[in-house]
Structures are given as structure tokens and as C-alpha cells.
Amino acid sequence: MSKVLIVAEHLGGQLNASTAKCVTAAKGLSPESIDVLVLSDDPAAVAEQAAKLAGVTRVLTVASAANAHAIAQVLAPQVAKVAADYTHVFGPSTTFGKDVMPCVAALLNAPQVSDAMAVEGPRTFKRPIYAGNAIVTVEVPEGVTVVATIRTASFAEAARDGSAAIETLNVEAAVPTHTRFVGLAAGSSDRPDLQSAKRVVSGGRGVGSAENFKIIYDFADRIGAAVGASRAAVDAGYCPNEMQVGQTGKIIAPELYIAVGISGAIQHLTGIKDAGTIVAINKDPDSAIFEIADIGLAGDLFQILPELQAAV
């Protein structure tokens, strides 16, 4: 039987929703147990949140001053030590997971399944390649630990009605000192987080300028949505990198996605393929975005968006 260890992603005492999605993926294995590992300087609050995830057997906490910040080279040796008793180690395919999990795989001398989007069997998974234009089935050899990052856009969050036990671990692992935390530079916003938001409004090159992006922010605020952008908009300096949606940005799966002034380049479509309802607003009726949109509005965004905002 499979035993799954999930590395929890958290920040500021809050468990990231990506962890709940990893639990859902783990359930697809019908495992003997699903344990969540919380590494922090003070893991109590995060552990309580993880314990409520339906399907979780135990929450394991490792408290150490070294774990105050999510540094892959510090966390990975501890994860590898704990993982010795497990057949599978999962982490989210987010910035956090993409940083930590390859280090874990290397320490376990195991191949990594990256961006798993479906669980086909105990050692068989599906993952996208070629910007999502093809789906490949990969199989992990017998005799090695299955290390995988989970494509969070492909799985729903586990319910929060569980009551798993919380246990404290003392992990003896050599923590390197050559990598040190210097500081965290992060944009602050009152809007929902882009990767977990139920509604997202994104602007593209068609918005025209950074000043014009205000129309996107205003509409997003009206409907309580997160704000994203195409790569073209980011490259043009309309908005910062952390807002980019697409293959080289964030992969998202909101219930509602509104693309404003976005033509629909393949790298952008890769990032929104799992969205529930896609609405496209573009003055060019032949834009590629209309081919995948559920609702398409061909016209001037500076006329259509204020009308929509007034209507809601």
C-alpha cells in the first residue's frame, strides 16, 4: 500500500490552498495513509489548518528556527529524512514546490514527476508537455520513492472537515549554511491571490499602457477578482512579473476568467486551460482567444468594460 507524505506550503501562519489540492491528488492513489509535513519555526497554527483537510491521517510538525523561511536547501534535507518511511512525496507545482521538490528528489536519488495533472496508478501519472499541447503518461520505476509536484490547477481542494492527529517530530538532518535568507520582496495587494482566486481578470497588450491598466483594476475590484496579465503586457511594462499568467507565469484554474485585450498566444492559453468559464473581450474578432472562450465580446474594451462594470 502507498504511504504519501505531502510537504505543506504556508506563509505567515496560513496554509496555502495548494496543499489541499495535493491531498486530493494523493487520494487518487487510495493510499494507506496521507501525512502532511509542516516545517516552520512555529508550526502550530499551520498544523491546525492542515489537520482539518479531509483525508489527512496525520500532520507532522518540525519546529526549528532554521525553518522560519522557506529555503529549499534548508527544508529539503529534513523532508528527505522524514520521507524514508514513505512511498510517495508530493509537493505543489507552485514557486515553493518547484524550488523545494527537486532538491528532495536529488537527496532521495529519485526521478521527479513534474506538474502531475492526473493520477493513473500508484506509479503512473499524466503531465503536460509542449506548452500543454500534448499530454504524456510517465511511470516511475519500482524500487524508488515517487517524488512529484502536483499541478494545482488540475485538482480541487480537499474539504476542510477532517480532524487529523498532530504529532511533533525531531529530525536530525545536516542543514547547510551556505544558503541564507536575506529578505523577501513581495507585492502587497488587497485583492485575492492570483493562483487561488475564484475569479480573475487579466489584461493584455490591447490595454495599451500601464496607466490604462487602471480600467482592469477597477473592474476586478468591482467583482472581487484577482488581476492577471499576459506576457506581452508584462514585457511592455504595464504590470509586474508576478501578475503574468501562462506557461512562463502562473497556471491558474479560476471559476471565471475574463481576458481583456489578450489575443490568445499559446503560452497564455496554457495557463488558463482549466478555467471554468472564459470570457474574452477583444476588438479583433479573429483573435485566437475567441476559439477557446465560452463567451466572446468583439469590440473596444474601453467601451465594453465600463458598461459591464456599470451592469454589475
Side-chain angles (χ1 to χ4, degrees):
M1 290 289 288
S2 302
K3 294 181 65 178
V4 185
L5 180 69
I6 295 174
V7 183
E9 177 177 1
H10 57 90
L11 182 65
Q14 294 298 313
L15 184 70
N16 191 287
S18 62
T19 305
K21 296 183 177 184
C22 287
V23 172
T24 299
K27 288 181 181 179
L29 297 166
S30 299
E32 175 186 338
S33 64
I34 300 174
D35 294 348
V36 175
L37 177 63
V38 179
L39 300 132
S40 175
D41 57 338
D42 184 8
V46 177
E48 289 180 7
Q49 297 168 53
K52 294 179 181 179
L53 297 177
V56 172
T57 309
R58 296 182 302 167
V59 176
L60 309 176
T61 65
V62 179
S64 170
N67 297 335
H69 305 287
I71 301 173
Q73 289 72 22
V74 172
L75 301 185
Q78 300 174 73
V79 175
K81 281 284 187 181
V82 178
D85 297 326
Y86 294 85
T87 59
H88 295 67
V89 184
F90 285 177
S93 189
T94 58
T95 302
F96 167 82
K98 290 176 181 178
D99 190 32
V100 174
M101 298 306 290
C103 296
V104 173
L107 291 171
L108 294 175
N109 196 27
Q112 177 177 293
V113 179
S114 300
D115 224 16
M117 62 184 298
V119 178
E120 299 289 300
R123 292 180 171 271
T124 307
F125 305 85
K126 288 187 180 295
R127 66 176 299 267
I129 58 174
Y130 299 127
N133 286 306
I135 306 300
V136 64
T137 300
V138 295
E139 187 165 343
V140 181
E142 293 289 342
V144 298
T145 304
V146 178
V147 180
T149 57
I150 303 302
R151 184 184 175 97
T152 54
S154 299
F155 296 92
E157 295 179 28
R160 288 173 170 76
D161 56 1
S163 56
I166 300 175
E167 299 181 13
T168 301
L169 295 183
N170 291 314
V171 178
E172 297 295 331
V175 176
T177 58
H178 64 275
T179 304
R180 297 174 299 278
F181 178 81
V182 175
L184 175 64
S188 59
S189 174
D190 294 330
R191 299 183 181 90
D193 175 67
L194 181 57
Q195 286 192 289
S196 60
K198 304 298 184 184
R199 294 180 292 276
V200 175
V201 181
S202 284
R205 193 199 306 273
V207 176
S209 69
E211 292 73 22
N212 288 346
F213 231 80
K214 183 178 184 300
I215 196 173
I216 305 295
Y217 293 128
D218 289 346
F219 182 70
D221 289 343
R222 176 61 66 90
I223 65 172
V227 178
S230 68
R231 177 172 179 172
V234 171
D235 287 348
Y238 300 170
C239 43
N241 289 339
E242 61 262 25
M243 290 172 58
Q244 184 176 321
V245 173
Q247 182 184 7
T248 53
K250 292 182 170 65
I251 308 296
I252 61 175
E255 295 174 1
L256 173 65
Y257 185 76
I258 302 177
V260 183
I262 295 175
S263 61
I266 185 61
Q267 86 87 25
H268 186 79
L269 301 184
T270 298
I272 62 170
K273 63 183 295 293
D274 294 310
T277 299
I278 299 175
V279 178
I281 301 173
N282 199 295
K283 66 180 181 181
D284 181 4
D286 295 323
S287 292
I289 192 73
F290 287 124
E291 296 179 11
I292 58 97
D294 299 288
I295 301 171
L297 300 173
D300 185 350
L301 69 91
F302 296 103
Q303 178 182 346
I304 293 175
L305 216 54
E307 290 178 355
L308 283 176
Q309 185 168 332
V312 297

